[in-house]
Each structure stands twice: as C-alpha cells, then as structure tokens.
Amino acid sequence: MIRYQEKTNIFQLDTLTTSYVMGIADGSYLGHIYYGKKLQPQDLGYLLRTQEHPQTPSKLPREKMSFLDSFPMEYSFSGTGDFRESCIDIRDIHGQSGLELLYRGHRIYHGKDGLQGLPAVWGEGCQTLEITLEDTCAGIRVRLSYSVFEDSDALIRSVKVENTGTEAVYLERVLSACLEMDDEEYEMLSLPGAWARERHIKRQPLLSGSFVTESVRGESSHQDHPFLAAVSHNCTQTCGDVYAMHFVYSGNFLAKAQRTQFDTLRMVMGIHPDRFCWKLEPGAAFQAPEAVLVYSDAGLGKMSRTLHDLYRNHLIRSSYKEKERPVLINNWEATYFDFDTEKLIAIAKESAALGIEMLVMDDGWFGHRDSDDSSLGDWVVYEKKLPGGLKYLVDEVNRLGMKFGIWFEPEMISPDSRLYEAHPDWAFHLKGRTPSRARDQLVLDLSRPEVVDYVYDSISRVLHSANIEYVKWDMNRALADIGSVALPPDQQGELSHRYMLAVYELQERLITEFPDLLLENCSSGGARFDPGMLYYSPQIWCSDDTDAVERLSIQEGTALVYPLSSMGAHISDCPNHITGRITPFETRSHVALAGSFGYELDITKIPEAERQMISGQVAMYHAYNDLVREGDYYRIASYQENHRFDAWAVASKDKGEVLVTYVQVLAEPNKRSRKIRLQGFDEDALYRLEGTEQVYSGEMLLYGGFLVEPMKGDFVSRLYHFVRM
Ligand code: GLA
C-alpha cells in the first residue's frame, strides 16, 4: 500500500510488516525519514530534523552547503555540497560535473513496469511509486521507482536517468538505491568468498569510515556478492534488526556503507562506477538495474524467508519454477575431457537403472576440445568423441528413459578456434595490447550485435539438432582488456554494462525460443550466482566445490538470500577432487538434498555399496523435494560459527511437516545427546517423528528442544522428518 499525504508532503510505502517513509523538505529536497516496523500513517516529518541547524536553504541560504552535507538524501547527488557517498555523477561536454536534484512530482500506479533489457521482479498484487527529481541546469531528470507487493515484505527500487538538455552528457555513476539511517552501531554482513569458497557469511563492525563490497570483474564474482546488510549487534536468526540490500544484476557492482561525521549511516548499491561511463544523447535515457530492500525486525531468518518467497514468486520465471527438477548426473568430475559416446552411454545406462533422470554432457563435446585450451566459439560436435553426432547420443539416452542436457560457454572464444581465425577482432582487446588470457580463453565482444547473433544461432542450432532439455550456461573467466573496435572512444566506458545487457538478451532469446528448457547458470562454480541470473534460470551452480563439508558453509551463505530450489547441489566422488576429504556417501546426499539434486561422479566406477544407495537417495529426493522447493527455510545451527555441527530445517507453509537436516562435522568424545532448539513448528500442534512412534508437541521442539543422539564419526548426518498429527 502506497500513500502520499499532501498536507505533510510525506510518502509512506507499507509492506506486510514494514513501512518506508520519505518526505520533501523546502518543497524541493527528497529526504529519507523512516524504514522499519509497520506504522500507522502519521506526520513523521520531524525526523528530517529540518528545524535543527542547519535549517533548509530557504530559511538559511548562507548555510546551504551544510544542509546538503547533512540532510538524509533519498537519492544522493554530489558536486554541490553533499560530500558523502553519491548515487549519481555526470560530466557535461564542457567537462563540468555537479548536480542538485530537486523534487518535481510523482505518480502512484497499480502494477510494476518491467525494465527494458534487464532482469526485474514481476507479478500481480503490486503498487509502484515513481518520484521525479530534476536538475534543470544540467538537463537531467531522474525517476526513482519503488514497488511493493501485497504478499511480500520486500521493497523494489530502481532508477532511470534522462537527458532533458540539448547536449550530450556522460553519466559517470548511477547507483540504484540509497538508504539513510541513524547509526545504532550496526554491523555489516556480507557474503565474500573465492573460487571453491563462495558466499561465506561475514560480519564486522563499522566504527568509522566505509565498508565496501564490490566487483569490477564483469561478473557478480566469487570474491564478493551483490548483497549487503546492516544488522544490529544483537541480531541472530530469530531476533534483531536487519536492513538488507540485494542487487538484481550480474555484472560490476558497488555496495557501500558509510558512517558519517554525525554518526549516521548511508548505504548505497548499484553498478560499479569504476570504468563506467555512459553517453546520454539529448532525449535518451539510462535504466539502472533494480535493488531489493528488506527490513526484518526478527533477525536474519525472516529476511531469508522474505527474499526466498520474493525470488520464488516474483523473480524466477521458468516453467520449472514450481516443478521438481529432474535428478541429473553430470559427467564433469566423472570424466573431465576424456569421454566419448560409449562412455556416456555406459554412465546413462547405469544411471537410468537407478532412477537418475537426466544425463548432462559437460565441457568437451565441440570443436576439437580435448582440454581447456581450444575450441570455445566453435559450437559444432567433436565427431572424434561423439561418432554419429549428437542426435544419436541423445536418442540413445532418451531411449533409456532419460532426458539429455548439454554444457555451453557461449560468451568466450579460444584463440585456438576457427572462430578466432575468422574474427580475431571479436574478442575484447585494448588497442595495441595483447589481451590477458585466463584458462587460455578470451571474452567475446558482446557489444556487437553480429557477435550476439552468431552466439545465439550457434546455440539454437545445437538445441534444434537433438532433443536437448537442459542447458548449463557457463562463464569461466572475468572480464579484462575491455575494449571494442566497434564503439567510438567516448563510449568505451559502456562496454561492461553493454556486455551484461547482451548476456541477458541472449538468455531471454533462449528461454523464449525454448520455453521448456531447464537452464542452469554457472560461472567457474558460483561466480555469477545472483538475482539477475535467477530471472533467466531457476537454478544456478553453487560452486565447483562439491565437498559435503565445504558445501555446508557455501550453501548456508547462499541460502541466506536464495531459495534452496535455486542452488545446484550434487553428490560427487571421494576423496573429493578439490579438498581430498572423504565423507560418507549418505552425508553427501543429505547436503545435496538442500538444493537442486544431482550426481557428479562416474557411476560405473564408484563402490558397489554406494551405487546401491542411489535409488534410495533418488526416492528421498522425490519424497522431500516439494517441501524443500516450496517450504520455509530455518537455519538452526551454523558450523561456520560453532565449528562442530550444522543444522537447518524446511517447514511446509502450513507447518504440517518439517524436515530437519543435522550434520555432525567433528565427533566429540564423551558427550551426551545434543539439544537443539528447532524452528518452523506450529507450537499448538503435535508431530510424529517419521520412522518412530515418538510424538512431540511443537512447543517442546521450539522451546524445549530436540535431542540429537550421540553419533560416532566425523562428517555424519541425520535427517529428521516431523509430520503433524
Ligand atoms: C566450470 C564449471 C564446472 C565445469 C567446468 C567445465 O569450472 O563450474 O562445473 O562445467 O567449468 O570446463
């Protein structure tokens, strides 16, 4: 519900349990007043502190700069007196910058417009407020957009900038959201990582200066994640304040929290301004991506569930959105590049017999690719490995009752490829400089429409050539040497964003032409796991690290902000290929159950005892997947925090059943059973623990706790399924 009180010039946006309030000072300056627990509409204008020194410019013109530098700007601008973090910067053709954005008007409407060329939250039961700010001197108009859904606690923001002048301007910075808070000594929570260690939850105080999490790698990255939350000291899974921002974008980003001289906090999020410069011709507009804001008064758990529901109901679009995903087996860790039709069919035969539903052929099926140093760009079947072609292989796999999926890395080009021979200038490169290779590959200049068309036609041709029902879209290097022969010098700063727009366009074309395709994004593991990609693919490969213990932390961090159904999680072979660790096959299955389940091993070579467990695991996935995919997620214990055990639960929306997963990472000698307080239960109901005669009341489990029996061994796990009686 969105209201504007004309008398007080106050906007109030209500979600299910929160309110977001803005006001206009001096008839001109849009200020942030309040974000928090839901309030009755009332005059909160005093919180803008315009009665204090420095008063507004109309009352105290001689101190206008002090006003600009202390007022809680709803969308901050720079160069005219606000020295804090700015959301927008321009440079005109005379080389000058500086803006003063003043309120011009607003409109409130039902629904929410899409964002051209960009991923965006969508759906019914929604209202949008669009506020127009303007700087007539610079010829810049800014439209701030805020949407709220009836069924969600999230607030969706975006920004559009128009050139209303008569000369071109250069947009050097345009962030998507700003949030002003009085600093109550919040801690910063972010999700940094590395390859094979993606999205580990980190929390630290911000005593002074700034906290930054960012990517300038051309992808949302392994190293940082486009998410930032300010949380109160006392914040846990179940209590405390959380102010979260999540960016619906997959390229360079900046998320920054700045503690000011007055101990206020300004949090901003948007496209990273480094190497960004967008030329805006007169009359042209630039659409910045969306940011999702969530306030929770009940800790991190409530924030997670808000984001999960928003993404499941209003971001993911796939026809698999509400469907079980087929249990897949991927040959990457099984064979790497060393496979052929015969080997794949042998894997498929064994898999089909055990109930696995789809074979995914990973990297190495095209060009003359025997290792990672060739053929990217040549999307034609490697006949030496696949004699008889793709259709023969796919038909054979289909005949076994399995679906077939395939791997692509469409954005890349190998210097050793026919494509590179024909079009060396299609790779990003800086004039006069040999571009840096990574994994021996270069990045295609997707700012060129002919390159985009080539890539699309290559994929589409392959998908038409056989019954392919799944695509793993990989991206295995960051962007560097970003230069294009196709753009004029004053537009080279547009390349990183143009690249992202092209990736989005390619994936949009793909899912439009093949609406039933199951698309899984991937980027050297989880370097492009972000809300932007979720708009195109309902699941994303979490990490190349499939070690069950490492996955606990990766999946805990990922599930903090993403629904479990979006996390690609597979059971792989041991010793694990990355860590060398040996974990029980059962534990690996319990950990993978928290995601879109599959296998990543040579099923023809694993020990017989493990092979025999597979059909049971597939049945377990089918038994619990509706719950895991659609339920509410509760984090019970964190191995990252306690270094001994991990536990999480998924409860059906009606609390009729709850599945608890417990992993004992390290055995502790001479201990009694461990009591853990569970979450997700109806406190007035009785539950039976499946497989036993044991009955518990919801309140016992919530407040008294559940006793996990003492277990011998490291890395052992248990599943507990409670059903309401
Ligand atoms: C990336 C992916 C892996 C695999 C390889 C293939 O690293 O994350 O799953 O597909 O590429 O080269």
Side-chain angles (χ1 to χ4, degrees), residues 332 337 362-363 407 439 472 474 476 522 524-525 541 544:
W332 178 240
F337 292 101
D362 210 278
D363 192 358
W407 179 98
R439 219 190 186 211
K472 176 174 171 187
D474 209 340
N476 277 319
C522 170
S524 292
W541 185 229
D544 280 343

Side-chain angles (χ1 to χ4, degrees), residues 182-243:
D182 270 47
D183 184 15
E184 285 145 28
E185 309 253 314
Y186 291 110
E187 292 178 358
M188 296 293 119
L189 189 150
S190 60
L191 294 170
W195 173 76
R197 277 189 280 117
E198 293 91 340
R199 294 174 296 284
H200 281 218
I201 299 172
K202 298 276 186 235
R203 224 166 125 163
Q204 51 198 286
L206 174 55
L207 301 177
S208 65
S210 298
F211 176 87
V212 175
T213 176
E214 63 189 337
S215 168
V216 289
R217 295 167 187 269
E219 55 184 354
S220 45
S221 89
H222 297 104
Q223 290 76 7
D224 279 299
H225 192 72
F227 171 83
L228 180 61
V231 303
S232 57
H233 282 307
N234 66 344
C235 177
T236 65
Q237 283 297 319
T238 52
C239 77
D241 285 326
V242 183
Y243 292 91

